[in-house]
Amino acid sequence: MKKTIRLSGIAYESLVNGPGMRRVFFSQGCKHNCKGCFNPDTHDFNGGEEKDIDLLIQDVLDNPMIKGITFSGGDPFERAEEFSYMAKEFKKNNKNIWCYTGYTFEYIIENLELRNGWKELISNIDVLVDGKFEEDKKEDGLKFRGSSNQRIIDVKESLKCGYIVGFNL
């Protein structure tokens, strides 16, 4: 696997993309094209810029303030191989990992064997915020999600139980 990843940007210290101080990596590329998306510049798969994955990982590990990682987008599942490599390295260092995707948890599970990196990515993240952004379901005060249809899922418990378990905030 190449050791670079195409990102649209990085939020170096964020408190709004999951609990605690987090580093947020915004994937470049998305097929969902949700109406009202707040990151439409992340949709083009050729936009953004290539970054060295190992340097990104080391930069996080060198910062003791960063307690967790968030993969956002675009859609990280479109670059699952690269994000799964990052997730494995972060898990070795006890970092909490959240991931946003327009795909549903059920769709990801049904397609694990068909899409490169999906199995590795889903098995190395702690929380998945799933589902497309739906403009008509946007509500003020929703924590860590853009629309009420999106779910905040405890991935480890859901995989273990075989059904969706919500993450307790």
Side-chain angles (χ1 to χ4, degrees), residues 31-161:
K31 296 177 180 176
H32 305 296
N33 293 309
C34 303
K35 185 175 185 254
C37 175
F38 74 100
N39 266 348
D41 55 323
T42 66
H43 295 183
D44 180 359
F45 281 84
N46 297 310
E49 59 183 287
E50 291 285 327
K51 299 279 193 178
D52 182 297
I53 293 176
D54 290 322
L55 290 177
L56 295 173
I57 293 167
Q58 193 57 52
D59 189 55
V60 167
L61 300 180
D62 288 344
N63 184 339
M65 295 201 31
I66 303 298
K67 303 302 180 204
I69 309 301
T70 300
F71 300 146
S72 192
D75 195 318
F77 274 84
E78 301 300 348
R79 299 194 184 277
E81 289 178 277
E82 295 94 329
F83 278 108
S84 65
Y85 173 81
M86 293 174 78
K88 287 177 199 172
E89 293 302 310
F90 290 133
K91 291 310 295 172
K92 287 180 194 171
N93 290 277
N94 300 310
K95 299 294 182 196
N96 169 272
I97 301 173
W98 280 43
C99 183
Y100 286 78
T101 182
Y103 295 106
T104 63
F105 183 79
E106 294 86 350
Y107 182 86
I108 292 167
I109 298 304
E110 289 166 12
N111 289 279
L112 284 181
E113 304 302 329
L114 303 175
R115 301 284 300 266
N116 290 339
W118 278 26
K119 190 173 192 175
E120 292 80 14
L121 182 54
I122 198 73
S123 63
N124 282 288
I125 58 178
D126 299 297
V127 174
L128 183 74
V129 181
D130 81 335
K132 294 179 183 180
F133 170 73
E134 294 182 20
E135 199 171 38
D136 62 334
K137 293 189 172 108
K138 182 179 178 180
E139 297 173 22
D140 285 339
L142 288 176
K143 200 164 187 181
F144 304 129
R145 54 200 177 124
S147 56
S148 62
N149 62 295
Q150 295 171 313
R151 302 174 294 183
I152 302 175
I153 298 169
D154 183 325
V155 174
K156 302 282 183 247
E157 283 300 307
S158 298
L159 292 173
K160 190 167 70 177
C161 296

